[in-house]
């Protein structure tokens, strides 16, 4: 197994280009199942999760032609079957995104129940209830969601009890081919959801309320869609992770190919800590702080502070002067990185869904283990200020969502090497 070895790097500098957003690429790939034409998708991040969903699409019969590691052409005319098998779905929970488009297009599908998730329960019951409201009959048997809509899906009023990003995306894709109008109340407002809606609008679907928590989608009545070429939006979480790397070393770096409007919650919190920014159309430079002030975070849905940045900011909190408090409201197991940060010397105490971090903690390199995707990046952030050498194991989590992370960090001056154990 690969692991990363990182030597303490007191300062970083330079510029890096931010990759496409994994969490936008996945629903876009699933949406190609709705297309009648060949779809070109560019700025795809070269990460394991994208490759997993691409493999699932190929298994279903989608013809994929990779023009380069970040661009592909997808032709979904000749689907051979509608069963998303466990062997692929178990590798990534976002595979559930094929449920809506398969059911809307073919009126029948079988999708394996996703496997467990390290950061907590992500129940698919919201997806299932929404499809039932749209006229599908659904059974769970043999570890599969078996869905059937003999007369085709019908527009319906969908009220989500809880905001769900993939649930919203599944319903949006299903509604695009349904008969009649679908209203979604309490829809997710993430930029990745907005991009999916905008792509469908460009293909001829009428959607009202884009970017709000209430969407109205007029379906095509089963007619497949004609997609324009698609460019995946920049990854706001990748951008935030590199900002935390700069912040913990109190360094100045420039991020290229960013969308600053998507980074508001992250840059606002960094400004509260003491940093300032130079912002341009598609670039962002973080400037050093006089001192790092403690902070409080409550994770919540967009446009609030993202749960996917909680771990990286916890690492940063270890170097802030005073006590910081982090409340995790979205996932019950998203503090598993705490014990690994403590191995490096972090002073963190947990009570329920609250973490209290006392700074400034002198960190010392050690062997640590990544428990999930964002925990992995938090350990990298902490390793930058840890005396000596830190070895981060189980980095296959990192490869799920960060494109060429060690190459980008090397470009900033980080002493980092990928090794085999």
């Amino acid at each position: 197994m690969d692991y990363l070895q990182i030597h303490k790097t007191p300062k970083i500098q330079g510029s890096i280009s931010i990759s496409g957003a994994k969490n936008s690429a996945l629903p876009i790939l699933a949406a190609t199942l709705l297309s009648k034409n060949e779809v070109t998708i560019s700025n795809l991040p070269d990460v394991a999760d994208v490759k997993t969903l691409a493999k699932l699409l190929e298994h279903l019969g989608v013809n994929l032609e990779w023009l380069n590691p970040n661009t592909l052409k997808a032709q979904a005319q000749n689907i051979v079957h509608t069963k998303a098998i466990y062997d692929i779905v178990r590798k990534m929970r976002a595979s559930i995104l094929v449920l809506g488009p398969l059911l809307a297009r073919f009126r029948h599908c079988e999708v394996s129940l996703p496997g467990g998730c390290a950061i907590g329960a992500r129940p698919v019951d919201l997806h299932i209830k929404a499809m039932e409201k749209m006229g599908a009959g659904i059974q769970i048997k043999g570890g599969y969601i078996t869905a059937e809509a003999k007369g085709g899906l019908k527009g319906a009023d969908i009220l989500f009890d809880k905001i769900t990003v993939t649930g919203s995306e599944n319903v949006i894709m299903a509604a695009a081919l349904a008969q009649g109008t679908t209203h979604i109340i309490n829809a997710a407002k993430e930029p990745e959801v907005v991009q999916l809606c905008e792509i469908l609008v460009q293909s001829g679907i009428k959607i009202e309320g884009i970017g709000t928590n209430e969407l109205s989608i007029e379906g095509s009545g089963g007619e497949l869609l004609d997609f324009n070429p698609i460019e995946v939006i920049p990854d706001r979480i990748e951008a935030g992770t590199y900002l935390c790397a700069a912040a913990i070393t109190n360094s100045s770096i420039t991020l290229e190919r960013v969308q600053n409007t998507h980074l508001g919650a992250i840059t606002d919190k960094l400004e509260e800590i003491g940093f300032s920014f130079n912002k341009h159309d598609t670039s962002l430079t973080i400037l050093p702080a006089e001192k790092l002030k403690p902070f409080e975070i409550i994770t919540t849905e967009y446009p609030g502070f993202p749960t996917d940045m909680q771990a990286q900011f916890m690492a940063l909190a270890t170097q802030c002067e005073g006590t910081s408090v982090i409340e995790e409201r979205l996932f019950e197991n998203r503090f598993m990185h705490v014990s690994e940060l403590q191995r490096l010397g972090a002073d963190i105490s947990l009570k329920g869904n609250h973490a209290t971090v006392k700074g400034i903690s002198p960190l010392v390199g050690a062997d640590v283990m990544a428990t999930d995707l964002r925990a992995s990046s938090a350990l990298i952030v902490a390793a930058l200020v840890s005396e000596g050498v830190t070895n981060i194991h189980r980095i296959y989590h990192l490869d799920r969502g960060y494109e060429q992370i060690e190459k980008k960090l090397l470009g900033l001056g980080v002493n980092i090497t990928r090794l085999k154990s």
Side-chain angles (χ1 to χ4, degrees):
M1 262 188 204
D2 290 1
Y3 68 97
L4 289 178
Q5 185 172 88
I6 302 175
H7 293 254
K8 183 179 179 180
T9 309
K11 288 289 180 183
I12 63 176
Q13 62 180 354
S15 65
I16 54 171
S17 181
I18 296 302
S19 299
K22 171 183 80 80
N23 289 341
S24 198
L26 299 178
I28 288 170
L29 285 169
T32 62
L33 292 166
L34 307 174
S35 67
K36 62 183 177 185
N37 64 312
E38 184 177 68
V39 187
T40 302
I41 309 172
S42 61
N43 203 35
L44 285 162
D46 185 12
V47 296
D49 275 9
V50 167
K51 292 172 184 174
T52 297
L53 194 53
K55 183 179 178 182
L56 177 57
L57 292 179
E58 285 187 307
H59 180 77
L60 295 171
V62 180
N63 181 43
L64 299 182
E65 178 189 355
W66 289 93
L67 305 183
N68 59 56
N70 306 107
T71 307
L72 66 70
K73 290 184 176 181
Q75 179 80 264
Q77 275 75 353
N78 301 311
I79 301 296
V80 292
H81 64 84
T82 59
K83 185 172 184 176
I85 60 171
Y86 170 74
D87 191 49
I88 300 175
V89 173
R90 68 181 172 83
K91 297 175 183 176
M92 183 183 66
R93 294 188 63 86
S95 301
I96 191 71
L97 285 167
V98 300
L99 174 65
L102 283 176
L103 182 57
R105 177 173 172 180
F106 298 101
R107 304 184 178 188
H108 173 85
C109 66
E110 295 175 75
V111 178
S112 172
L113 286 166
C117 182
I119 61 172
R122 296 188 183 185
V124 297
D125 61 321
L126 297 176
H127 303 241
I128 292 170
K129 288 176 183 175
M131 297 302 152
E132 287 176 332
K133 285 272 285 187
M134 297 176 76
I138 294 183
Q139 290 183 305
I140 309 291
K141 55 183 179 183
Y144 281 80
I145 303 166
T146 301
E148 190 148 352
K150 290 182 179 178
L153 292 178
K154 308 288 194 301
D157 292 337
I158 308 294
L159 171 60
F160 282 121
D161 298 332
K162 176 183 176 183
I163 295 174
T164 163
V165 174
T166 53
S168 296
E169 291 165 343
N170 241 334
V171 174
I172 289 165
M173 289 186 283
L177 291 198
Q179 301 168 38
T181 301
T182 299
H183 301 284
I184 307 175
I185 310 298
N186 207 24
K189 297 183 287 187
E190 273 70 4
E192 298 79 14
V193 177
V194 169
Q195 179 166 40
L196 177 64
C197 289
E198 289 173 342
I199 287 166
L200 293 173
V201 167
Q202 289 167 7
S203 73
I205 299 299
K206 185 178 179 182
I207 304 179
E208 295 179 355
I210 296 175
T212 75
N213 61 0
E214 293 190 21
L215 295 173
S216 179
I217 305 160
E218 289 186 22
S220 70
E223 183 179 343
L224 294 180
L225 310 179
D226 194 351
F227 281 79
N228 293 330
I230 299 164
E231 180 180 350
V232 178
I233 59 174
D235 193 320
R236 59 196 171 96
I237 304 302
E238 184 196 18
T241 299
Y242 288 115
L243 289 176
C244 282
I248 202 167
T249 56
N250 205 12
S251 303
S252 177
I253 66 170
T254 297
L255 306 183
E256 305 287 354
R257 292 176 63 109
V258 295
Q259 203 151 327
N260 285 306
T261 54
H262 296 169
L263 297 171
I266 296 168
T267 54
D268 285 355
K269 189 58 61 175
L270 287 169
E271 286 176 343
E272 183 183 317
I273 293 168
F275 296 93
S276 56
F277 296 91
N278 286 335
K279 299 179 182 180
H280 301 284
D281 288 346
T282 59
S283 70
L284 175 69
T285 300
I286 182 171
L287 304 173
E290 289 185 14
K291 71 171 187 175
L292 275 60
K293 293 178 279 190
F295 58 90
E296 293 185 6
I297 280 173
I298 298 174
T299 64
T300 186
E301 296 85 358
Y302 188 87
F305 191 88
T307 182
D308 280 350
M309 285 303 305
Q310 177 256 105
Q312 300 91 312
F313 269 78
M314 186 179 292
L316 174 57
T318 67
Q319 303 307 301
C320 292
E321 298 180 13
T323 300
S324 299
V325 179
I326 298 172
E327 181 181 350
E328 172 58 59
R329 288 190 176 179
L330 298 184
F331 293 112
E332 67 272 20
N333 292 338
R334 205 155 204 174
F335 280 149
M336 291 194 296
H337 47 276
V338 169
S339 59
E340 301 304 303
L341 289 172
Q342 288 170 332
R343 284 178 58 79
L344 298 174
D347 185 349
I348 306 172
S349 57
L350 288 179
K351 186 174 183 181
N353 64 337
H354 288 74
T356 303
V357 188
K358 292 183 180 177
I360 300 172
S361 294
L363 303 184
V364 179
D367 283 281
V368 290
M369 183 178 67
T371 53
D372 61 71
L373 173 57
R374 305 309 173 185
S376 311
S377 57
L379 295 175
I380 288 177
V381 171
L384 298 178
V385 294
S386 297
E387 287 294 336
V389 179
T390 302
N391 296 312
I392 304 175
H393 301 272
R394 293 194 181 178
I395 58 168
Y396 55 84
H397 291 294
L398 267 177
D399 295 334
R400 286 185 44 226
Y402 288 94
E403 181 175 27
Q404 297 184 332
I405 190 165
E406 63 265 35
K407 181 179 178 181
K408 291 184 180 183
L409 289 169
L410 279 168
L412 296 175
V414 176
N415 188 340
I416 180 172
T417 312
R418 181 179 287 247
L419 300 168
K420 290 195 179 291
S421 54

